[in-house]
CSV table of all heavy atoms in Angstrom, one decimal:
chain,number,residue,atom,x,y,z
Y,1063,TYR,N,232.7,213.1,155.4
Y,1063,TYR,CA,231.3,212.6,155.6
Y,1063,TYR,C,230.5,213.7,156.3
Y,1063,TYR,O,231.0,214.3,157.3
Y,1063,TYR,CB,231.4,211.3,156.4
Y,1063,TYR,CG,232.0,210.2,155.7
Y,1063,TYR,CD1,233.3,209.8,155.8
Y,1063,TYR,CD2,231.2,209.4,154.8
Y,1063,TYR,CE1,233.8,208.7,155.2
Y,1063,TYR,CE2,231.7,208.3,154.1
Y,1063,TYR,CZ,233.1,208.0,154.3
Y,1063,TYR,OH,233.6,206.9,153.6
Y,1064,LEU,N,229.3,213.9,155.9
Y,1064,LEU,CA,228.4,214.7,156.7
Y,1064,LEU,C,227.2,213.9,157.1
Y,1064,LEU,O,226.8,213.0,156.4
Y,1064,LEU,CB,227.9,215.9,155.8
Y,1064,LEU,CG,228.9,216.9,155.4
Y,1064,LEU,CD1,228.3,218.0,154.5
Y,1064,LEU,CD2,229.5,217.6,156.6
Y,1065,PRO,N,226.7,214.1,158.3
Y,1065,PRO,CA,225.6,213.3,158.8
Y,1065,PRO,C,224.3,213.6,158.1
Y,1065,PRO,O,224.0,214.7,157.7
Y,1065,PRO,CB,225.5,213.7,160.3
Y,1065,PRO,CG,226.1,215.1,160.4
Y,1065,PRO,CD,227.1,215.2,159.3
Y,1066,LYS,N,223.5,212.5,157.9
Y,1066,LYS,CA,222.2,212.6,157.2
Y,1066,LYS,C,221.3,211.6,157.9
Y,1066,LYS,O,221.7,210.7,158.7
Y,1066,LYS,CB,222.3,212.3,155.7
Y,1066,LYS,CG,222.6,210.8,155.4
Y,1066,LYS,CD,222.5,210.7,153.9
Y,1066,LYS,CE,222.2,209.2,153.5
Y,1066,LYS,NZ,221.0,208.7,153.8
Y,1067,ASP,N,220.0,211.8,157.6
Y,1067,ASP,CA,219.0,210.9,158.1
Y,1067,ASP,C,219.2,209.5,157.4
Y,1067,ASP,O,219.2,209.5,156.2
Y,1067,ASP,CB,217.6,211.4,157.8
Y,1067,ASP,CG,216.5,210.6,158.3
Y,1067,ASP,OD1,216.7,209.3,158.5
Y,1067,ASP,OD2,215.3,211.1,158.4
Y,1068,PRO,N,219.4,208.4,158.1
Y,1068,PRO,CA,219.6,207.1,157.5
Y,1068,PRO,C,218.5,206.7,156.6
Y,1068,PRO,O,218.7,205.9,155.7
Y,1068,PRO,CB,219.7,206.1,158.7
Y,1068,PRO,CG,220.0,207.0,159.9
Y,1068,PRO,CD,219.4,208.3,159.6
Y,1069,GLY,N,217.3,207.2,156.8
Y,1069,GLY,CA,216.1,206.8,156.0
Y,1069,GLY,C,216.0,207.7,154.7
Y,1069,GLY,O,215.2,207.3,153.8
Y,1070,GLU,N,216.7,208.8,154.6
Y,1070,GLU,CA,216.6,209.6,153.4
Y,1070,GLU,C,217.6,209.2,152.3
Y,1070,GLU,O,218.8,209.0,152.6
Y,1070,GLU,CB,216.9,211.1,153.8
Y,1070,GLU,CG,216.7,212.0,152.7
Y,1070,GLU,CD,216.9,213.5,153.1
Y,1070,GLU,OE1,217.3,213.8,154.2
Y,1070,GLU,OE2,216.7,214.4,152.2
Y,1071,ILE,N,217.0,209.0,151.1
Y,1071,ILE,CA,217.9,208.6,150.0
Y,1071,ILE,C,218.3,209.9,149.3
Y,1071,ILE,O,217.5,210.7,148.8
Y,1071,ILE,CB,217.1,207.7,149.0
Y,1071,ILE,CG1,216.8,206.4,149.8
Y,1071,ILE,CG2,217.9,207.4,147.8
Y,1071,ILE,CD1,215.8,205.5,149.0
Y,1072,ILE,N,219.6,210.1,149.2
Y,1072,ILE,CA,220.2,211.2,148.5
Y,1072,ILE,C,221.0,210.7,147.4
Y,1072,ILE,O,222.1,210.1,147.6
Y,1072,ILE,CB,221.1,212.1,149.4
Y,1072,ILE,CG1,220.2,212.6,150.6
Y,1072,ILE,CG2,221.7,213.2,148.7
Y,1072,ILE,CD1,221.0,213.4,151.6
Y,1073,PRO,N,220.6,210.9,146.1
Y,1073,PRO,CA,221.4,210.4,145.0
Y,1073,PRO,C,222.7,211.2,144.8
Y,1073,PRO,O,222.8,212.4,145.1
Y,1073,PRO,CB,220.4,210.6,143.8
Y,1073,PRO,CG,219.5,211.7,144.2
Y,1073,PRO,CD,219.4,211.6,145.7
Y,1074,TRP,N,223.7,210.5,144.2
Y,1074,TRP,CA,225.0,211.1,143.9
Y,1074,TRP,C,224.7,212.3,142.9
Y,1074,TRP,O,223.8,212.1,142.0
Y,1074,TRP,CB,226.0,210.2,143.3
Y,1074,TRP,CG,226.3,209.0,144.2
Y,1074,TRP,CD1,226.2,207.7,143.9
Y,1074,TRP,CD2,226.8,209.1,145.5
Y,1074,TRP,NE1,226.7,207.0,145.0
Y,1074,TRP,CE2,227.0,207.8,146.0
Y,1074,TRP,CE3,227.1,210.2,146.4
Y,1074,TRP,CZ2,227.5,207.5,147.3
Y,1074,TRP,CZ3,227.6,209.9,147.7
Y,1074,TRP,CH2,227.8,208.6,148.1
Y,1075,GLY,N,225.3,213.4,143.1
Y,1075,GLY,CA,225.1,214.5,142.2
Y,1075,GLY,C,224.0,215.5,142.6
Y,1075,GLY,O,223.8,216.5,142.0
Y,1076,ALA,N,223.3,215.2,143.7
Y,1076,ALA,CA,222.3,216.0,144.2
Y,1076,ALA,C,222.8,217.1,145.0
Y,1076,ALA,O,223.8,217.0,145.7
Y,1076,ALA,CB,221.3,215.2,145.0
Y,1077,ILE,N,222.2,218.3,145.0
Y,1077,ILE,CA,222.6,219.4,145.8
Y,1077,ILE,C,222.0,219.2,147.2
Y,1077,ILE,O,220.9,218.8,147.4
Y,1077,ILE,CB,222.1,220.8,145.3
Y,1077,ILE,CG1,222.6,221.0,143.9
Y,1077,ILE,CG2,222.4,221.9,146.2
Y,1077,ILE,CD1,222.0,222.2,143.2
Y,1078,VAL,N,222.9,219.3,148.2
Y,1078,VAL,CA,222.5,219.0,149.6
Y,1078,VAL,C,222.6,220.3,150.4
Y,1078,VAL,O,223.4,221.2,150.2
Y,1078,VAL,CB,223.2,217.9,150.3
Y,1078,VAL,CG1,222.9,216.6,149.6
Y,1078,VAL,CG2,224.7,218.1,150.3
Y,1079,CYS,N,221.6,220.4,151.4
Y,1079,CYS,CA,221.5,221.6,152.2
Y,1079,CYS,C,221.6,221.2,153.7
Y,1079,CYS,O,221.2,220.1,154.0
Y,1079,CYS,CB,220.2,222.4,152.0
Y,1079,CYS,SG,220.2,223.2,150.3
Y,1080,GLN,N,222.0,222.1,154.5
Y,1080,GLN,CA,222.0,221.9,156.0
Y,1080,GLN,C,220.7,222.2,156.6
Y,1080,GLN,O,220.1,223.2,156.3
Y,1080,GLN,CB,223.1,222.8,156.6
Y,1080,GLN,CG,223.2,222.6,158.1
Y,1080,GLN,CD,224.2,221.5,158.4
Y,1080,GLN,OE1,225.2,221.3,157.7
Y,1080,GLN,NE2,224.0,220.9,159.5
Y,1081,GLY,N,220.2,221.3,157.4
Y,1081,GLY,CA,218.9,221.5,158.1
Y,1081,GLY,C,219.1,222.0,159.5
Y,1081,GLY,O,220.2,222.0,160.0
Y,1082,ASN,N,218.0,222.5,160.1
Y,1082,ASN,CA,218.1,222.9,161.5
Y,1082,ASN,C,218.5,221.8,162.4
Y,1082,ASN,O,218.9,222.0,163.6
Y,1082,ASN,CB,216.8,223.6,161.9
Y,1082,ASN,CG,216.6,224.9,161.2
Y,1082,ASN,OD1,217.5,225.5,160.8
Y,1082,ASN,ND2,215.3,225.2,161.1
Y,1083,ASP,N,218.3,220.5,162.0
Y,1083,ASP,CA,218.6,219.4,162.8
Y,1083,ASP,C,220.1,219.0,162.7
Y,1083,ASP,O,220.5,218.0,163.2
Y,1083,ASP,CB,217.7,218.2,162.4
Y,1083,ASP,CG,217.8,217.9,160.9
Y,1083,ASP,OD1,218.6,218.5,160.2
Y,1083,ASP,OD2,217.1,217.0,160.4
Y,1084,GLU,N,220.9,219.8,162.0
Y,1084,GLU,CA,222.3,219.6,161.7
Y,1084,GLU,C,222.6,218.4,160.9
Y,1084,GLU,O,223.7,217.9,160.9
Y,1084,GLU,CB,223.1,219.6,163.1
Y,1084,GLU,CG,222.8,220.8,163.9
Y,1084,GLU,CD,223.9,221.2,164.8
Y,1084,GLU,OE1,225.0,220.5,164.8
Y,1084,GLU,OE2,223.7,222.1,165.6
Y,1085,LEU,N,221.6,217.9,160.1
Y,1085,LEU,CA,221.8,216.9,159.1
Y,1085,LEU,C,221.8,217.5,157.7
Y,1085,LEU,O,221.2,218.6,157.6
Y,1085,LEU,CB,220.8,215.8,159.2
Y,1085,LEU,CG,220.6,215.1,160.6
Y,1085,LEU,CD1,219.4,214.1,160.6
Y,1085,LEU,CD2,221.9,214.4,160.9
Y,1086,VAL,N,222.3,216.8,156.7
Y,1086,VAL,CA,222.2,217.3,155.3
Y,1086,VAL,C,221.0,216.6,154.7
Y,1086,VAL,O,220.6,215.5,155.1
Y,1086,VAL,CB,223.4,217.1,154.5
Y,1086,VAL,CG1,224.6,217.9,155.0
Y,1086,VAL,CG2,223.8,215.6,154.4
Y,1087,HIS,N,220.3,217.3,153.9
Y,1087,HIS,CA,219.1,216.9,153.2
Y,1087,HIS,C,219.1,217.3,151.8
Y,1087,HIS,O,219.9,218.3,151.4
Y,1087,HIS,CB,217.8,217.5,153.8
Y,1087,HIS,CG,217.7,217.2,155.3
Y,1087,HIS,ND1,217.1,216.0,155.7
Y,1087,HIS,CD2,218.1,217.8,156.4
Y,1087,HIS,CE1,217.1,216.0,157.1
Y,1087,HIS,NE2,217.7,217.1,157.5
Y,1088,LEU,N,218.3,216.7,150.9
Y,1088,LEU,CA,218.1,217.3,149.6
Y,1088,LEU,C,217.6,218.7,149.7
Y,1088,LEU,O,216.7,219.0,150.6
Y,1088,LEU,CB,217.1,216.5,148.8
Y,1088,LEU,CG,217.6,215.1,148.3
Y,1088,LEU,CD1,216.4,214.3,147.7
Y,1088,LEU,CD2,218.7,215.2,147.3
Y,1089,CYS,N,218.1,219.7,148.9
Y,1089,CYS,CA,217.7,221.0,149.0
Y,1089,CYS,C,216.2,221.1,148.6
Y,1089,CYS,O,215.8,220.4,147.7
Y,1089,CYS,CB,218.5,222.0,148.2
Y,1089,CYS,SG,220.2,222.2,148.8
Y,1090,SER,N,215.5,221.9,149.3
Y,1090,SER,CA,214.0,222.1,149.0
Y,1090,SER,C,213.6,223.5,149.7
Y,1090,SER,O,214.5,224.1,150.3
Y,1090,SER,CB,213.2,221.0,149.7
Y,1090,SER,OG,213.3,221.1,151.1
Y,1091,PRO,N,212.4,223.9,149.5
Y,1091,PRO,CA,212.0,225.1,150.2
Y,1091,PRO,C,212.2,225.0,151.7
Y,1091,PRO,O,212.4,226.1,152.4
Y,1091,PRO,CB,210.5,225.2,149.8
Y,1091,PRO,CG,210.4,224.5,148.5
Y,1091,PRO,CD,211.3,223.4,148.6
Y,1092,SER,N,212.2,223.8,152.3
Y,1092,SER,CA,212.4,223.7,153.7
Y,1092,SER,C,213.9,223.7,154.1
Y,1092,SER,O,214.2,224.1,155.2
Y,1092,SER,CB,211.8,222.4,154.2
Y,1092,SER,OG,210.4,222.3,154.0
Y,1093,TYR,N,214.7,223.4,153.2
Y,1093,TYR,CA,216.2,223.3,153.4
Y,1093,TYR,C,216.9,224.2,152.3
Y,1093,TYR,O,217.0,223.7,151.2
Y,1093,TYR,CB,216.7,221.9,153.4
Y,1093,TYR,CG,216.0,221.0,154.3
Y,1093,TYR,CD1,215.2,219.9,153.9
Y,1093,TYR,CD2,216.2,221.1,155.7
Y,1093,TYR,CE1,214.5,219.1,154.8
Y,1093,TYR,CE2,215.6,220.2,156.6
Y,1093,TYR,CZ,214.7,219.2,156.1
Y,1093,TYR,OH,214.1,218.4,157.0
Y,1094,LYS,N,217.3,225.4,152.7
Y,1094,LYS,CA,217.8,226.3,151.7
Y,1094,LYS,C,219.3,226.6,151.9
Y,1094,LYS,O,219.9,227.3,151.1
Y,1094,LYS,CB,217.1,227.6,151.8
Y,1094,LYS,CG,215.6,227.5,151.5
Y,1094,LYS,CD,214.9,228.8,151.7
Y,1094,LYS,CE,213.4,228.6,151.5
Y,1094,LYS,NZ,212.7,229.8,151.7
Y,1095,SER,N,219.9,226.1,152.9
Y,1095,SER,CA,221.3,226.5,153.2
Y,1095,SER,C,222.3,225.4,152.6
Y,1095,SER,O,222.7,224.5,153.2
Y,1095,SER,CB,221.5,226.5,154.7
Y,1095,SER,OG,222.8,227.1,155.0
Y,1096,MET,N,222.6,225.7,151.3
Y,1096,MET,CA,223.4,224.7,150.5
Y,1096,MET,C,224.8,224.5,151.1
Y,1096,MET,O,225.5,225.5,151.5
Y,1096,MET,CB,223.6,225.3,149.1
Y,1096,MET,CG,224.3,224.3,148.2
Y,1096,MET,SD,224.4,225.0,146.5
Y,1096,MET,CE,226.1,224.5,146.1
Y,1097,VAL,N,225.2,223.2,151.2
Y,1097,VAL,CA,226.6,222.9,151.6
Y,1097,VAL,C,227.4,222.3,150.6
Y,1097,VAL,O,228.7,222.3,150.7
Y,1097,VAL,CB,226.6,222.0,152.9
Y,1097,VAL,CG1,226.0,222.7,154.1
Y,1097,VAL,CG2,225.8,220.7,152.6
Y,1098,GLY,N,226.8,221.7,149.5
Y,1098,GLY,CA,227.6,221.1,148.5
Y,1098,GLY,C,226.8,220.1,147.6
Y,1098,GLY,O,225.6,220.1,147.6
Y,1099,ILE,N,227.6,219.2,147.0
Y,1099,ILE,CA,227.0,218.2,146.1
Y,1099,ILE,C,227.3,216.8,146.6
Y,1099,ILE,O,228.5,216.5,146.9
Y,1099,ILE,CB,227.6,218.3,144.6
Y,1099,ILE,CG1,227.5,219.8,144.1
Y,1099,ILE,CG2,226.9,217.4,143.7
Y,1099,ILE,CD1,226.2,220.3,144.0
Y,1100,ALA,N,226.3,215.9,146.7
Y,1100,ALA,CA,226.6,214.6,147.1
Y,1100,ALA,C,227.5,213.9,146.1
Y,1100,ALA,O,227.2,213.9,144.9
Y,1100,ALA,CB,225.3,213.8,147.2
Y,1101,SER,N,228.7,213.5,146.6
Y,1101,SER,CA,229.7,213.0,145.6
Y,1101,SER,C,230.2,211.6,146.0
Y,1101,SER,O,230.6,211.3,147.1
Y,1101,SER,CB,230.9,214.0,145.7
Y,1101,SER,OG,232.0,213.5,144.9
Y,1102,GLU,N,230.1,210.8,144.9
Y,1102,GLU,CA,230.5,209.4,145.1
Y,1102,GLU,C,232.1,209.3,145.1
Y,1102,GLU,O,232.6,208.4,145.7
Y,1102,GLU,CB,230.0,208.6,143.9
Y,1102,GLU,CG,230.2,207.1,144.0
Y,1102,GLU,CD,229.5,206.3,143.0
Y,1102,GLU,OE1,229.0,206.9,142.0
Y,1102,GLU,OE2,229.4,205.1,143.1
Y,1103,HIS,N,232.8,210.3,144.5
Y,1103,HIS,CA,234.2,210.2,144.5
Y,1103,HIS,C,234.8,211.6,144.9
Y,1103,HIS,O,235.5,212.2,144.0
Y,1103,HIS,CB,234.7,209.8,143.1
Y,1103,HIS,CG,234.2,208.5,142.6
Y,1103,HIS,ND1,234.6,207.3,143.1
Y,1103,HIS,CD2,233.2,208.3,141.7
Y,1103,HIS,CE1,233.9,206.4,142.5
Y,1103,HIS,NE2,233.1,206.9,141.6
Y,1104,PRO,N,234.7,212.0,146.1
Y,1104,PRO,CA,235.2,213.3,146.5
Y,1104,PRO,C,236.8,213.2,146.6
Y,1104,PRO,O,237.3,212.2,146.8
Y,1104,PRO,CB,234.7,213.6,147.9
Y,1104,PRO,CG,234.4,212.2,148.4
Y,1104,PRO,CD,234.0,211.4,147.3
Y,1105,ALA,N,237.4,214.4,146.4
Y,1105,ALA,CA,238.9,214.4,146.4
Y,1105,ALA,C,239.4,214.3,147.8
Y,1105,ALA,O,240.5,213.8,148.1
Y,1105,ALA,CB,239.4,215.7,145.8
Y,1106,PHE,N,238.7,214.8,148.8
Y,1106,PHE,CA,239.1,214.7,150.2
Y,1106,PHE,C,237.9,214.2,151.0
Y,1106,PHE,O,236.8,214.6,150.8
Y,1106,PHE,CB,239.4,216.1,150.7
Y,1106,PHE,CG,239.7,216.2,152.2
Y,1106,PHE,CD1,240.9,215.8,152.7
Y,1106,PHE,CD2,238.7,216.6,153.0
Y,1106,PHE,CE1,241.1,215.8,154.1
Y,1106,PHE,CE2,238.9,216.7,154.4
Y,1106,PHE,CZ,240.1,216.3,154.9
Y,1107,VAL,N,238.2,213.3,151.9
Y,1107,VAL,CA,237.1,212.7,152.8
Y,1107,VAL,C,237.5,212.9,154.2
Y,1107,VAL,O,238.6,212.5,154.6
Y,1107,VAL,CB,236.9,211.2,152.5
Y,1107,VAL,CG1,235.8,210.6,153.5
Y,1107,VAL,CG2,236.5,211.0,151.1
Y,1108,GLY,N,236.7,213.6,155.0
Y,1108,GLY,CA,236.9,213.8,156.4
Y,1108,GLY,C,235.6,213.4,157.2
Y,1108,GLY,O,234.6,213.1,156.6
Y,1109,GLY,N,235.7,213.5,158.4
Y,1109,GLY,CA,234.5,213.1,159.3
Y,1109,GLY,C,234.5,211.6,159.5
Y,1109,GLY,O,235.4,210.9,159.3
Y,1110,LYS,N,233.3,211.2,160.0
Y,1110,LYS,CA,233.1,209.8,160.4
Y,1110,LYS,C,232.1,209.1,159.4
Y,1110,LYS,O,231.0,209.6,159.2
Y,1110,LYS,CB,232.7,209.7,161.8
Y,1110,LYS,CG,232.6,208.3,162.3
Y,1110,LYS,CD,232.2,208.3,163.8
Y,1110,LYS,CE,232.2,206.8,164.3
Y,1110,LYS,NZ,232.0,206.7,165.7
Y,1111,ASP,N,232.5,207.9,158.9
Y,1111,ASP,CA,231.6,207.1,158.1
Y,1111,ASP,C,230.6,206.5,159.0
Y,1111,ASP,O,230.9,205.6,159.8
Y,1111,ASP,CB,232.4,206.1,157.3
Y,1111,ASP,CG,231.5,205.3,156.3
Y,1111,ASP,OD1,230.3,205.5,156.3
Y,1111,ASP,OD2,232.1,204.5,155.6
Y,1112,ARG,N,229.3,206.9,158.9
Y,1112,ARG,CA,228.2,206.3,159.7
Y,1112,ARG,C,227.3,205.4,158.8
Y,1112,ARG,O,226.1,205.3,159.1
Y,1112,ARG,CB,227.4,207.4,160.4
Y,1112,ARG,CG,228.2,208.2,161.4
Y,1112,ARG,CD,227.4,209.3,162.0
Y,1112,ARG,NE,228.1,209.9,163.1
Y,1112,ARG,CZ,228.9,211.0,163.0
Y,1112,ARG,NH1,229.1,211.5,161.8
Y,1112,ARG,NH2,229.5,211.5,164.0
Y,1113,GLY,N,227.9,204.9,157.7
Y,1113,GLY,CA,227.1,204.1,156.8
Y,1113,GLY,C,225.9,204.9,156.2
Y,1113,GLY,O,226.2,205.9,155.7
Y,1114,ASN,N,224.7,204.4,156.4
Y,1114,ASN,CA,223.5,205.1,155.8
Y,1114,ASN,C,223.2,206.4,156.5
Y,1114,ASN,O,222.4,207.2,156.1
Y,1114,ASN,CB,222.3,204.2,155.8
Y,1114,ASN,CG,222.3,203.1,154.8
Y,1114,ASN,OD1,223.1,203.2,153.8
Y,1114,ASN,ND2,221.6,202.1,155.0
Y,1115,GLY,N,223.9,206.7,157.6
Y,1115,GLY,CA,223.7,207.9,158.4
Y,1115,GLY,C,224.7,209.0,158.1
Y,1115,GLY,O,224.8,210.0,158.8
Y,1116,SER,N,225.4,208.8,156.9
Y,1116,SER,CA,226.3,209.9,156.5
Y,1116,SER,C,226.5,209.8,155.0
Y,1116,SER,O,226.1,208.8,154.4
Y,1116,SER,CB,227.7,209.7,157.2
Y,1116,SER,OG,228.3,208.5,156.8
Y,1117,ILE,N,227.0,210.9,154.4
Y,1117,ILE,CA,227.2,211.0,153.0
Y,1117,ILE,C,228.4,211.8,152.7
Y,1117,ILE,O,228.7,212.8,153.4
Y,1117,ILE,CB,226.0,211.5,152.3
Y,1117,ILE,CG1,226.1,211.3,150.8
Y,1117,ILE,CG2,225.7,212.9,152.6
Y,1117,ILE,CD1,224.7,211.4,150.0
Y,1118,THR,N,229.2,211.5,151.6
Y,1118,THR,CA,230.3,212.3,151.2
Y,1118,THR,C,229.8,213.4,150.3
Y,1118,THR,O,228.9,213.3,149.5
Y,1118,THR,CB,231.4,211.5,150.4
Y,1118,THR,OG1,230.7,210.8,149.4
Y,1118,THR,CG2,232.1,210.6,151.4
Y,1119,VAL,N,230.4,214.6,150.5
Y,1119,VAL,CA,229.9,215.8,149.8
Y,1119,VAL,C,231.1,216.6,149.2
Y,1119,VAL,O,232.1,216.8,149.9
Y,1119,VAL,CB,229.1,216.8,150.8
Y,1119,VAL,CG1,228.7,218.1,150.2
Y,1119,VAL,CG2,227.9,216.0,151.3
Y,1120,GLY,N,231.0,216.9,147.9
Y,1120,GLY,CA,232.0,217.7,147.3
Y,1120,GLY,C,231.7,219.2,147.5
Y,1120,GLY,O,230.5,219.6,147.3
Y,1121,VAL,N,232.7,220.0,148.0
Y,1121,VAL,CA,232.4,221.4,148.3
Y,1121,VAL,C,233.2,222.3,147.4
Y,1121,VAL,O,233.0,223.5,147.4
Y,1121,VAL,CB,232.7,221.7,149.7
Y,1121,VAL,CG1,231.7,220.9,150.6
Y,1121,VAL,CG2,234.1,221.3,150.1
Y,1122,SER,N,234.2,221.8,146.6
Y,1122,SER,CA,234.9,222.7,145.7
Y,1122,SER,C,235.4,221.8,144.5
Y,1122,SER,O,235.5,220.6,144.6
Y,1122,SER,CB,236.0,223.4,146.4
Y,1122,SER,OG,237.0,222.5,146.8
Y,1123,GLY,N,235.9,222.5,143.5
Y,1123,GLY,CA,236.4,221.8,142.3
Y,1123,GLY,C,235.3,221.4,141.3
Y,1123,GLY,O,234.2,222.0,141.3
Y,1124,GLN,N,235.6,220.4,140.5
Y,1124,GLN,CA,234.6,219.9,139.5
Y,1124,GLN,C,233.9,218.7,140.1
Y,1124,GLN,O,234.5,217.6,140.3
Y,1124,GLN,CB,235.3,219.5,138.2
Y,1124,GLN,CG,236.0,220.7,137.6
Y,1124,GLN,CD,236.7,220.4,136.3
Y,1124,GLN,OE1,236.8,219.2,135.9
Y,1124,GLN,NE2,237.2,221.4,135.6
Y,1125,VAL,N,232.6,218.9,140.3
Y,1125,VAL,CA,231.8,217.8,140.9
Y,1125,VAL,C,230.6,217.5,140.0
Y,1125,VAL,O,229.9,218.5,139.7
Y,1125,VAL,CB,231.3,218.2,142.3
Y,1125,VAL,CG1,230.5,217.1,142.9
Y,1125,VAL,CG2,232.4,218.6,143.2
Y,1126,PRO,N,230.4,216.3,139.5
Y,1126,PRO,CA,229.3,216.0,138.7
Y,1126,PRO,C,228.0,216.3,139.4
Y,1126,PRO,O,227.9,216.0,140.6
Y,1126,PRO,CB,229.4,214.5,138.4
Y,1126,PRO,CG,230.8,214.2,138.6
Y,1126,PRO,CD,231.3,215.1,139.7
Y,1127,ILE,N,227.0,216.9,138.7
Y,1127,ILE,CA,225.7,217.3,139.4
Y,1127,ILE,C,224.6,216.8,138.5
Y,1127,ILE,O,224.6,216.7,137.3
Y,1127,ILE,CB,225.7,218.8,139.5
Y,1127,ILE,CG1,224.5,219.3,140.3
Y,1127,ILE,CG2,225.7,219.5,138.2
Y,1127,ILE,CD1,224.5,220.7,140.7
Y,1128,ARG,N,223.5,216.4,139.2
Y,1128,ARG,CA,222.3,216.0,138.6
Y,1128,ARG,C,221.5,217.2,138.1
Y,1128,ARG,O,221.4,218.2,138.8
Y,1128,ARG,CB,221.4,215.2,139.6
Y,1128,ARG,CG,222.0,213.9,140.1
Y,1128,ARG,CD,221.1,213.3,141.1
Y,1128,ARG,NE,219.8,213.0,140.6
Y,1128,ARG,CZ,219.4,211.8,140.1
Y,1128,ARG,NH1,220.3,210.8,140.1
Y,1128,ARG,NH2,218.2,211.6,139.7
Y,1129,VAL,N,221.0,217.1,136.9
Y,1129,VAL,CA,220.2,218.2,136.3
Y,1129,VAL,C,218.9,217.6,135.7
Y,1129,VAL,O,218.9,216.5,135.1
Y,1129,VAL,CB,220.9,218.9,135.1
Y,1129,VAL,CG1,220.1,220.0,134.5
Y,1129,VAL,CG2,222.2,219.5,135.7
Y,1130,SER,N,217.8,218.2,136.0
Y,1130,SER,CA,216.5,217.7,135.5
Y,1130,SER,C,215.8,218.9,134.8
Y,1130,SER,O,216.1,220.0,135.1
Y,1130,SER,CB,215.6,217.1,136.6
Y,1130,SER,OG,215.2,218.1,137.5
Y,1131,THR,N,214.9,218.6,133.9
Y,1131,THR,CA,214.2,219.6,133.2
Y,1131,THR,C,212.7,219.5,133.4
Y,1131,THR,O,212.2,218.5,133.8
Y,1131,THR,CB,214.5,219.6,131.6
Y,1131,THR,OG1,214.1,218.3,131.2
Y,1131,THR,CG2,215.9,219.8,131.4
């Protein structure tokens, strides 16, 4: 689990980046430091489950990703 803003909705398969606030956010021009993919079924889970204040992130292997055109 990585900490996130409880009010931010991050869909599964989205690329997430580390913010200066030490939370993960959807990657954007403001957040460029990629940490992984929001994963509903990661192979390994560590950290603390904080409900809406955390999210599981896949960092290696095959992780489904959202793609838009």
Side-chain angles (χ1 to χ4, degrees):
Y1063 292 97
L1064 292 178
K1066 73 173 198 67
D1067 179 340
E1070 183 175 6
I1071 297 171
I1072 300 177
W1074 301 126
I1077 300 171
V1078 293
C1079 291
Q1080 183 85 33
N1082 291 334
D1083 55 4
E1084 302 206 9
L1085 301 176
V1086 293
H1087 302 274
L1088 287 171
C1089 289
S1090 69
S1092 300
Y1093 303 111
K1094 300 177 185 176
S1095 190
M1096 186 180 137
V1097 295
I1099 310 298
S1101 178
E1102 190 171 12
H1103 304 289
F1106 172 80
V1107 177
K1110 185 174 182 176
D1111 183 357
R1112 294 179 174 89
N1114 287 338
S1116 63
I1117 192 164
T1118 50
V1119 175
V1121 295
S1122 67
Q1124 296 179 355
V1125 182
I1127 187 168
R1128 293 176 62 94
V1129 178
S1130 64
T1131 58

